[in-house]
Amino acid sequence: MRKVRSQIVVALVCCILGFMLAYQFRIISLQESNISLQGDSSQITGQVEQLKNEKDDLNKKINELQTKLKQYQDAAVTKSGADKQMLKELDNLNALTGNVDVSGPGIIITITPRNNNIFSSDIDSMRNVITDAALINIVNDLRFAGAEAISINEIRVTSYTGIKTSGGVSNIFIGSSDVISPYKEIIIKAIGDKDKLNSGMVFPGVLDNSNIPSSSYTVASPKKSDNIKILKSNKVLNFQYAKPVSK
């Protein structure tokens, strides 16, 4: 019976990976097709809307499959201490890799454009616009202070999430497909010991010296909270080159 349950769990995992890979390939395909379009805004708008609908449908299916997977995982273990520990380690791994929604105490950091010279003719100079460097510094400082989960504008940031500014400073990519605007409000959430996180961020030289142009942005003091929710990531971890070392 346990063998059958294990096979079912593996099959569900494969289904989840398949749906999420299809979603990422669809995004890449759309990005490539947009490059070849010559100003046909109506066509671009239609494709974006179609992609949004496909993303919503895939997310619903992924949520349904992950719910079933959790049910099978709970049913596959017995009441023994070893099985309980295994399930706890699996839950911790899912939280670490961003595969599940998490909630808990922490802090919220809000970065708001001043809207004065951020749209000036000097926009081609990065010194007036927030870039990936500022966000990377903040994320690193949060992790150093003990953050267990982090998000930027509701986008989950894990150890596998890259942050990169686009050419011309028009966008900031969070991972391979998510994008935020440097000209709109940026909200960073972190779950962990809220007092330690707050102390780490208000320490002199952290937020006030994190490559955030003070002439273009205001950074509010971190807000402590007892109930922060960070959504799961929609990315698939697919190791192609790194393999376990056999002993």
Side-chain angles (χ1 to χ4, degrees), residues 104-206:
I107 64 172
I108 300 173
I109 301 170
T110 302
I111 304 171
T112 307
R114 292 184 184 274
N115 291 328
N116 50 10
N117 69 341
I118 193 172
F119 298 104
S120 70
S121 59
D122 198 27
I123 194 173
D124 57 337
S125 174
M126 287 190 179
R127 68 176 179 269
N128 284 341
V129 184
I130 191 171
T131 66
D132 50 6
L135 299 183
I136 291 172
N137 284 347
I138 294 175
V139 168
N140 285 342
D141 286 327
L142 286 170
R143 285 176 176 158
F144 189 79
E148 298 177 355
I150 301 172
S151 71
I152 300 176
N153 284 10
E154 305 300 335
I155 303 168
R156 186 74 166 266
V157 177
T158 69
S159 57
Y160 301 97
T161 305
I163 302 176
K164 184 67 175 177
T165 300
S166 66
V169 206
S170 57
N171 292 297
I172 300 177
F173 292 95
I174 310 295
S176 59
S177 57
D178 292 307
V179 180
I180 66 172
S181 171
Y183 310 111
K184 297 181 180 179
E185 184 178 70
I186 298 175
I187 298 177
I188 302 173
K189 298 179 181 178
I191 292 177
D193 185 316
K194 60 183 181 181
D195 293 324
K196 289 183 178 179
L197 292 175
N198 183 70
S199 297
M201 299 312 293
V202 299
F203 190 83
V206 179

Side-chain angles (χ1 to χ4, degrees), residues 41 74 85 127 163 167 230 244 246:
S41 59
D74 293 340
Q85 181 63 27
R127 68 176 179 269
I163 302 176
I230 296 180
S246 58

Side-chain angles (χ1 to χ4, degrees), residues 24-128:
Q24 291 189 40
F25 286 143
R26 179 74 179 103
I27 289 179
I28 293 173
S29 176
L30 180 62
Q31 289 175 338
E32 291 177 347
S33 64
N34 281 347
I35 294 175
S36 63
L37 292 176
Q38 301 295 324
D40 190 347
S41 59
S42 61
Q43 185 176 357
I44 294 176
T45 301
Q47 288 189 336
V48 170
E49 185 64 27
Q50 179 183 355
L51 178 60
K52 181 179 181 299
N53 293 334
E54 290 179 5
K55 176 183 177 181
D56 292 340
D57 291 339
L58 286 172
N59 281 334
K60 289 180 182 178
K61 293 178 181 179
I62 290 170
N63 289 333
E64 292 173 359
L65 287 172
Q66 287 183 328
T67 299
K68 291 181 180 179
L69 177 60
K70 179 63 176 175
Q71 292 172 348
Y72 281 115
Q73 288 174 345
D74 293 340
V77 298
T78 65
K79 298 300 182 180
S80 69
D83 287 334
K84 287 183 178 179
Q85 181 63 27
M86 184 182 301
L87 184 59
K88 181 179 179 180
E89 291 177 358
L90 181 59
D91 289 339
N92 289 339
L93 179 61
N94 283 331
L96 180 64
T97 56
N99 291 331
V100 294
D101 298 343
V102 292
S103 63
I107 64 172
I108 300 173
I109 301 170
T110 302
I111 304 171
T112 307
R114 292 184 184 274
N115 291 328
N116 50 10
N117 69 341
I118 193 172
F119 298 104
S120 70
S121 59
D122 198 27
I123 194 173
D124 57 337
S125 174
M126 287 190 179
R127 68 176 179 269
N128 284 341

